[in-house]
Amino acid sequence: MGFCKLVIALGGNALQEAGAPATAEAQLEVVKKTCEYIADISCKGYEIAIVHGNGPQVGRILMASKAAENITPPMPFDVCGSMSQGYIGYHIQQSLRRALDKRNKKVPVVTLITQAVVDKDDPAFKNPTKPIGAFYTKEEADKLKTEKGYVMKDDSGRGWRRVVASPVPKRIVELPAVKVLWDSTICVAAGGGGIPVVEQEDGSLKGVAAVIDKDLAAERLAEDMNADILMILTEVEKAAINFNKPNQVDLGHITVAEAEKYMGEGHFAAGSMLPKIEAAVMFAKANPSHKAIITSLYKAVDALEDKTGTIITLNK
Ligand code: ADP
Ligand code: MG
């Protein structure tokens, strides 16, 4: 094998343990474990870039900023996103370097604050669905609607929350920088799916309050980097049809056509497994030599050796 370019998308469980306190210290402990697995992958000879989620992290930054609004002006959502990229990247840089040191591997680890261009006319802006930040009463929600123009929705009866759109990432702004860094570093990029920005009439970029799916951003990055493999690491070892039903069947190596058939039949939940399958299909479709893998962190090395995981390619 020559050097094989691999984009890894890390799910929420790679940063945070369910039920553990939401502290920076607890997150760092999880990131340290995660980075042992990534270091193992790196030692297998892959050239890696890392994309990670940031939902809970950016939510907490937003809430902290809001709660302190009488002391210091709250930060807008795009700024909170950049902050989350910064501290998650810092944790990965520190932990992954340590894990690589133990393996006597010298490659530097770098985090790139990354913007992703979205279309201001993306249909997602007409129907915001992603709840973010604090819960409010109906009265508070109404006030935010009129005063700030926020879209507020009742979140499963638990209270009112601001909802934002989840538009499709069209372009990774820092792609040229990722290209420069790729050969000589492990680059953490497009964290949280990238900071969503729109292009202005004069060509400048402007941050918007939206959430980009990190699986779709990882796909964009992988495709534009001409990566060989897109690997989406999550809680499950394989995607399944009839998920959580007595007749559940875990999926091994499937083609794009098979994946599209299962998508059409509604086997993958929106907002969780569906965007992963969509990203995998998009990547596999772009080039017959592309391989997309969905598996767990713990099975990543095995899946790269075709021993497990859900693998999607254009043809078999
Ligand atoms: P991540 O943080 O890794 O993006 P998500 O919770 O968004 O994780 O998505 C992964 C989850 O999707 C799995 O843990 C599983 O509970 C759920 N899921 C929904 N549909 C399926 C399916 N068809 N097969 C496997 N897992 C599924
Ligand atoms: Mg997810």
Side-chain angles (χ1 to χ4, degrees):
M1 180 186 74
F3 279 104
C4 185
K5 284 186 176 179
L6 168 65
V7 171
I8 297 177
L10 293 175
N13 68 328
L15 304 179
Q16 226 184 305
E17 217 170 313
T23 61
E25 291 80 3
Q27 173 174 300
L28 180 58
E29 287 312 306
V30 178
V31 172
K32 281 181 188 168
K33 285 185 210 153
T34 295
C35 286
E36 293 291 329
Y37 292 96
I38 298 175
D40 283 341
I41 298 168
S42 169
C43 288
K44 294 274 175 188
Y46 294 93
E47 286 181 358
I48 301 172
I50 300 170
V51 176
H52 58 78
N54 74 341
Q57 290 79 10
V58 74
R60 285 198 291 273
I61 294 172
L62 193 70
M63 276 198 269
S65 188
K66 171 85 181 85
E69 70 184 342
N70 294 327
I71 304 164
T72 185
M75 295 289 175
F77 192 63
D78 57 327
V79 173
C80 294
S82 72
M83 289 174 162
S84 76
Q85 287 185 343
Y87 96 95
I88 295 169
Y90 154 62
H91 277 171
I92 295 174
Q93 283 176 215
Q94 195 176 67
S95 309
L96 187 52
R97 264 313 321 148
R98 174 81 186 130
L100 292 164
D101 271 338
K102 287 195 229 164
R103 291 160 179 81
N104 213 10
K105 178 130 190 184
K106 299 292 177 224
V107 57
V109 183
V110 61
T111 301
L112 204 58
I113 299 297
T114 313
Q115 308 165 81
V117 173
V118 300
D119 188 345
K120 68 173 180 5
D121 299 319
D122 190 305
F125 286 113
K126 296 230 160 57
N127 179 31
T129 52
K130 290 264 180 189
I132 55 165
F135 288 86
Y136 297 94
T137 63
K138 172 99 176 64
E139 292 67 38
E140 289 168 326
D142 285 341
K143 200 161 166 252
L144 286 166
K145 259 191 221 173
T146 37
E147 282 180 5
K148 303 223 171 169
Y150 290 176
V151 182
M152 306 295 293
K153 279 190 188 160
D154 181 18
D155 188 351
S156 326
R158 292 179 297 170
W160 289 72
R161 292 176 89 186
R162 182 179 181 195
V163 288
V164 298
S166 187
V168 175
K170 291 286 194 197
R171 177 169 72 86
I172 306 287
V173 176
E174 285 76 14
L175 186 73
V178 180
K179 283 190 174 155
V180 170
L181 292 166
W182 189 288
D183 290 340
S184 52
T185 71
I186 294 180
C187 184
V188 181
I195 304 160
V197 294
V198 292
E199 270 161 354
Q200 309 274 85
E201 303 260 296
D202 67 355
S204 64
L205 300 174
K206 186 174 189 292
V208 288
V211 178
I212 298 176
D213 190 279
K214 66 106 180 37
D215 299 313
L216 296 182
E219 193 285 329
R220 190 71 265 149
L221 183 70
E223 211 180 307
D224 294 346
M225 278 308 306
N226 293 316
D228 304 287
I229 304 176
L230 169 65
M231 186 161 66
I232 300 175
L233 299 179
T234 184
E235 272 174 19
V236 289
E237 184 173 337
K238 292 177 181 182
I241 52 171
N242 305 313
F243 181 64
N244 269 343
K245 292 184 192 145
N247 58 342
Q248 171 170 338
V249 180
D250 291 345
L251 299 169
H253 189 172
I254 58 171
T255 62
V256 164
E258 287 169 303
E260 285 180 333
K261 175 174 166 280
Y262 297 140
M263 269 199 277
E265 292 168 359
H267 287 285
F268 312 116
S272 60
M273 189 48 74
L274 185 60
K276 299 182 203 313
I277 301 282
E278 280 173 343
V281 162
M282 230 186 279
F283 185 69
K285 258 189 179 172
N287 191 317
S289 72
H290 281 175
K291 186 198 258 192
I293 303 174
I294 299 169
T295 193
S296 72
L297 189 58
Y298 321 105
K299 298 290 179 178
V301 168
D302 283 349
L304 286 166
E305 294 169 358
D306 289 332
K307 291 180 192 151
T308 186
T310 296
I311 298 176
I312 301 180
T313 52
L314 187 56
N315 310 300
K316 250 186 202 160

